[in-house]
Amino acid sequence: MTSLMEFFQTIPEFAEFSQSELSALDKAFRVETYPVDHVFMRYGEHPDALYLILGGEIHIKRRRQHKAGYALVTTLHSGEMFGLLSLIDNAKRSATAVGATEAKVATLPQSAFELLLDTHAPIALHFQGLVARQLARDLRRYDEALRAVLRSGDVNEISSTLA
Amino acid sequence: MTMTSTDLGRCFPELTRHMSPEQLSILFGYLEATTFKAGERIITDGEPCSTMYLVAKGRLSVLIKINQEALTLGTVGPGAWVGEIGLIDPGPACATVEAVEDTVLLSMSADALTNLVANHPIIASLMLQKLLKELASRLRASDKLLLDVVTGDEQEPAVSLPKRRWVRLLAKQLTGARGN
């Protein structure tokens, strides 16, 4: 059993996948360790992969409107995925993802993702469920951030709630 | 009002797109028709929610509370649905939903969805694909509105809209409320 297979079994999101489905995913993902500050994806780029964090932390950032540099939107940890949204609607990246620490990340190239969906129907359905739950949780997280603004009356509260 | 699976396809063409009459009939078996009188509450903001409601007839209002004041985000009518976030990821509701007029809803619980996925994966996949696209579109629109704040100057937030309008627009995207 590879380390990625073991890791899948610790993540609730993959609980619905069978051993043979996890094995297919294991073959499709590419696992590497990246240095701090490695840029996984950039705002505005066309999507080419989705990512699963196996270790370390990733910063999701946005370009500032009126100042140079980027603003931190949120920090992702081991077991979380990013880059999902663009693979669903094929739109350009809405954020930049950068290694906040050295990070071990499994990358699923878009071509491998599409091949999996075409050749393993049950994987496609499980992925739909997994992505739907992730999007629903993101909408809830934004809702919590909005509530924080409404409670405090301070729009800057959004940044601290999301980060 | 007695609903049939044919009505399901006619009332919800987007949700049931690409489904055969037989698949519509199967999906219909996983839905429960319920009638609500004008003024009755269907979902309460912050309370547990794990059911999606399809509006077959009538109209619902969607609102959130700001301190003690209710802010109506919009209304939804036939062909629309509410509660899909709770269906996919059961948890506290993001808004209160009330019947504005006598309303017929078709509900699907999280348990029913689990059974549909297990017994009829293709039908579940067709329905989930539509819900996914809608959630993705709402998330992107919310992202855009939040971007104003997150990327703004800390001393002077770059909120380009009056705060109340911004709150309303963002909350509409988060809750899925449509209309005015």
Side-chain angles (χ1 to χ4, degrees):
Chain A
M1 182 181 283
T2 69
S3 60
L4 184 56
M5 282 291 280
E6 285 170 351
F7 191 81
F8 281 143
Q9 286 163 4
T10 65
I11 307 177
E13 276 74 9
F14 288 95
E16 291 173 359
F17 290 71
S18 70
Q19 283 295 316
S20 66
E21 290 161 8
L22 289 180
S23 176
L25 282 179
D26 180 50
K27 289 188 181 77
F29 272 99
R30 186 181 68 237
V31 178
E32 276 185 55
T33 300
Y34 299 88
V36 63
D37 290 335
H38 176 78
V39 179
F40 292 88
M41 59 186 208
R42 289 181 199 277
Y43 176 87
E45 279 181 353
H46 286 287
D48 58 1
L50 69 82
Y51 305 89
L52 169 66
I53 307 170
L54 307 182
E57 292 182 352
I58 305 294
H59 279 162
I60 303 298
K61 296 179 170 184
R62 295 270 174 63
R63 191 185 295 278
R64 288 189 185 278
Q65 288 183 320
H66 301 304
K67 291 201 298 195
Y70 287 81
L72 176 65
V73 176
T74 192
T75 303
L76 302 178
H77 305 88
S78 177
E80 294 189 276
M81 300 179 82
F82 59 97
L84 289 167
L85 192 53
S86 292
L87 287 189
I88 296 305
D89 58 13
N90 213 27
K92 290 178 182 173
R93 297 293 192 195
S94 59
T96 295
V98 181
T101 63
E102 181 181 88
K104 191 174 178 186
V105 172
T107 304
L108 182 61
Q110 183 162 13
S111 53
F113 177 68
E114 285 167 359
L115 186 66
L116 270 179
L117 299 195
D118 286 345
T119 55
H120 293 74
I123 291 186
L125 184 59
H126 289 324
F127 247 102
Q128 270 185 325
L130 187 155
V131 174
R133 280 190 293 279
Q134 178 77 49
L135 298 188
R137 281 170 200 164
D138 284 348
L139 282 167
R140 273 191 206 287
R141 205 162 52 84
Y142 286 178
D143 186 59
E144 281 166 23
L146 177 62
R147 306 277 167 156
V149 170
L150 297 180
R151 276 194 302 271
S152 68
D154 178 5
V155 287
N156 289 311
E157 197 63 39
I158 278 236
S159 311
S160 51
T161 308
L162 287 177
Chain B
M1 179 185 181
T2 306
M3 291 283 295
T4 65
S5 61
T6 310
D7 295 327
L8 177 64
R10 190 177 45 77
C11 288
F12 305 96
E14 286 187 36
L15 193 67
T16 59
R17 187 174 294 168
H18 306 309
M19 288 189 198
S20 67
E22 191 192 354
Q23 288 172 325
L24 274 176
S25 175
I26 291 168
L27 177 62
F28 189 66
Y30 285 80
L31 298 167
E32 190 179 335
T34 317
T35 303
F36 289 87
K37 295 272 182 209
E40 277 193 283
R41 181 169 291 189
I42 295 111
I43 296 173
T44 302
D45 193 356
E47 295 290 314
C49 177
S50 59
T51 302
M52 175 172 76
Y53 298 91
L54 312 179
V55 185
K57 175 178 174 283
R59 189 155 286 277
L60 306 174
S61 71
V62 180
L63 50 106
I64 58 170
K65 271 200 167 172
I66 299 179
N67 299 324
Q68 293 309 307
E69 190 189 345
L71 175 66
T72 300
L73 301 176
T75 60
V76 295
W81 52 83
V82 294
E84 66 277 17
I85 291 181
L87 174 73
I88 291 165
D89 181 36
C94 298
T96 291
V97 178
E98 293 174 348
V100 180
E101 51 195 65
D102 291 357
T103 299
V104 179
L105 303 177
L106 294 172
S107 65
M108 174 177 279
S109 66
D111 286 344
L113 176 61
T114 301
N115 291 333
L116 183 67
V117 168
N119 301 328
H120 302 284
I122 293 172
I123 299 173
S125 179
L126 289 170
M127 189 184 81
L128 274 174
Q129 191 59 23
K130 173 60 195 165
L131 295 180
L132 255 181
K133 294 256 177 188
E134 191 193 289
L135 289 181
S137 151
R138 279 163 49 192
L139 197 57
R140 276 198 189 278
S142 308
D143 256 6
K144 238 183 156 92
L145 287 162
L146 283 166
L147 196 70
D148 277 352
V149 173
V150 174
T151 62
D153 186 305
E154 281 168 26
Q155 280 74 46
E156 192 183 343
V159 177
S160 53
L161 296 164
K163 186 182 160 196
R164 194 178 172 84
R165 185 158 171 245
W166 176 84
V167 165
R168 193 162 181 266
L169 282 174
L170 178 55
K172 277 168 79 92
Q173 291 301 333
L174 294 175
T175 60
R178 300 142 182 98
N180 296 308

